[in-house]
Amino acid sequence: MKIIDGKKISQEIRKELKKEIEKLKIKNVIPGLGIILVGNDPASEIYVRNKLKTCKELGINAQLYRFTENNSEEEIIKAIKELNVDINIDGIIVQSPVPSCFCEDKIISYVDPKKDVDGFGIVQLGFLLSKQEQKLAATPLGILKMLEYENIDIEGKHVVIVGDSLIVGRPLSALLLNRGATVTIAHKKTINLKELTRQADILIVAIGQPNFITEEYVKDGAIVIDVGINRVDGHLVGDVDFNRVFKKASYITPVPGGVGPMTITMLLSNVVDEAKIRSELNGSKN
Ligand code: NDP
């Protein structure tokens, strides 16, 4: 059994990103990220703080736009529209969840698809489904990079994804399908989940249920990727019961230190990719 060290892989990618950012700076391009944060969800506060910190470390110019539930939807949309036309901003993210008094899908729909570095908008999801991938959602992309880093072949493998959310399960299924995997997606209404997951060569779990997946759900030698982040008694645990599953799996990701660090890194990688396009466009104008 091998533990896939998401922290280490992510640090290596960040080193490369830093070099690319240095090169961009020589060409007077500083990658820019606009972050829209609405409300005061404690988990979102932590995620945004981490994103700002990592941006600072890498040399990305992050601008935070904070809104409360007293702001109007129009005010939030106005900020997004300003960021859409700001030539120094390469990516825009709307931190999820947006309080339920607003329509999150409507707000996200105002993000220019070219700057949709989260890849959550309908346009980017459509590109992904039609095999014309552009900006890939950060968590699925992070999982793909982890598998690539460990030289794990996806083609022809049976991947079972438990959880069909728009930010993890659904885009991930398309991403892996595009790479020749046979993909099964399970959700709450799935019957005989255990029988299904036991067929998986690669089992990916994103349900938000602490320690839900135990050894009975896992085939001998399977690769197990745990996306879940759950707080239990002040500790972070995944959706997979690591202690019970790790002996059975050939590879497994820990929580914390697995998929989590990859998500921020791949988001910022999307920002840098867009900044590179800006730099090339600047070059062609000169
Ligand atoms: P959502 O709540 O949006 O979706 C959860 C999905 O899991 C749904 O498809 C739901 O099914 C399914 N589900 C829930 N319980 C069960 C069950 N008992 N059996 C089968 N399916 C089930 O969650 P997210 O995708 O946003 O997040 C999932 C987890 O991943 C969370 O812990 C979150 O914190 C974490 N996460 C971690 C990230 C990282 O970077 N590591 C990034 C994003 C999320 P149904 O559709 O039928 O309701």
Side-chain angles (χ1 to χ4, degrees):
M1 185 276 315
K2 182 170 183 210
I3 296 175
I4 305 180
D5 188 344
K7 210 168 164 188
K8 180 173 159 238
I9 302 170
S10 144
Q11 272 162 357
E12 287 186 18
I13 298 174
R14 284 182 196 186
K15 259 190 225 157
E16 291 307 310
L17 284 180
K18 211 166 175 176
K19 282 186 208 159
E20 288 176 25
I21 292 166
E22 290 304 325
K23 280 191 213 155
L24 284 168
K25 280 185 183 160
I26 295 168
K27 295 178 188 166
N28 288 325
V29 171
I30 296 173
L33 173 66
I35 303 175
I36 305 281
L37 175 61
V38 191
N40 53 4
D41 176 70
S44 293
E45 293 282 345
I46 296 172
Y47 292 141
V48 167
R49 206 184 310 140
N50 283 341
K51 283 170 189 167
L52 291 170
K53 185 171 158 265
T54 315
C55 280
K56 201 170 172 198
E57 281 164 12
L58 293 182
I60 293 172
N61 170 29
Q63 290 177 25
L64 175 62
Y65 292 76
R66 268 183 178 274
F67 296 93
T68 69
E69 295 187 8
N70 295 326
N71 285 106
S72 66
E73 205 160 80
E74 286 68 36
E75 285 172 299
I76 303 169
I77 290 168
K78 184 169 172 276
I80 293 177
K81 284 182 175 172
E82 282 169 13
L83 288 166
N84 280 342
V85 294
D86 186 335
I87 54 164
N88 295 311
I89 290 292
D90 301 290
I92 304 166
I93 58 169
V94 178
Q95 183 64 44
S96 183
V98 168
S100 55
C101 55
F102 299 106
C103 177
E104 184 168 320
D105 288 345
K106 182 181 167 194
I107 291 174
I108 291 177
S109 75
Y110 279 89
V111 174
D112 180 342
K114 285 201 235 56
K115 297 190 179 188
D116 176 16
V117 283
D118 256 341
F120 296 163
I122 284 171
V123 173
Q124 288 303 339
L125 288 172
F127 277 129
L128 171 62
L129 270 183
S130 57
K131 288 185 165 181
Q132 301 170 55
E133 298 173 358
Q134 292 189 359
K135 289 192 182 48
L136 297 169
T139 304
L141 184 56
I143 293 169
L144 184 69
K145 291 285 167 194
M146 290 174 113
L147 295 172
E148 282 175 4
Y149 185 90
E150 297 293 346
N151 291 316
I152 294 167
D153 199 11
I154 302 163
E155 206 175 271
K157 296 280 165 60
H158 184 197
V159 183
V160 176
I161 303 171
V162 191
D164 76 339
S165 73
L166 265 181
I167 64 168
V168 187
R170 285 175 187 243
L172 183 60
S173 66
L175 193 71
L176 297 173
L177 197 58
N178 289 351
R179 282 155 186 78
T182 301
V183 183
T184 303
I185 315 183
H187 43 76
K188 271 189 199 147
K189 295 194 180 83
T190 299
I191 297 162
N192 292 337
L193 180 66
K194 225 179 259 182
E195 279 173 29
L196 209 58
T197 56
R198 273 206 295 248
Q199 294 171 34
D201 302 313
I202 304 176
L203 174 61
I204 306 176
V205 192
I207 56 177
Q209 306 282 335
N211 298 323
F212 183 92
I213 296 290
T214 51
E215 69 275 28
E216 309 95 72
Y217 286 80
V218 180
K219 178 171 88 171
D220 264 329
I223 293 152
V224 180
I225 308 288
D226 188 357
V227 184
I229 301 178
N230 310 287
R231 198 167 281 277
V232 176
D233 299 331
H235 296 285
L236 292 185
V237 298
D239 292 340
V240 174
D241 191 330
F242 185 89
N243 291 330
R244 288 176 64 177
V245 169
F246 89 112
K247 281 187 202 135
K248 218 168 173 191
S250 57
Y251 289 84
I252 188 165
T253 61
V255 177
V259 177
M262 295 297 291
T263 295
I264 295 189
T265 301
M266 298 326 298
L267 166 75
L268 300 182
S269 168
N270 280 345
V271 176
V272 173
D273 283 348
E274 199 53 40
K276 282 198 249 173
I277 295 173
R278 169 155 65 103
S279 163
E280 279 158 24
L281 286 175
N282 285 352
S284 64
K285 276 184 209 151
N286 295 334

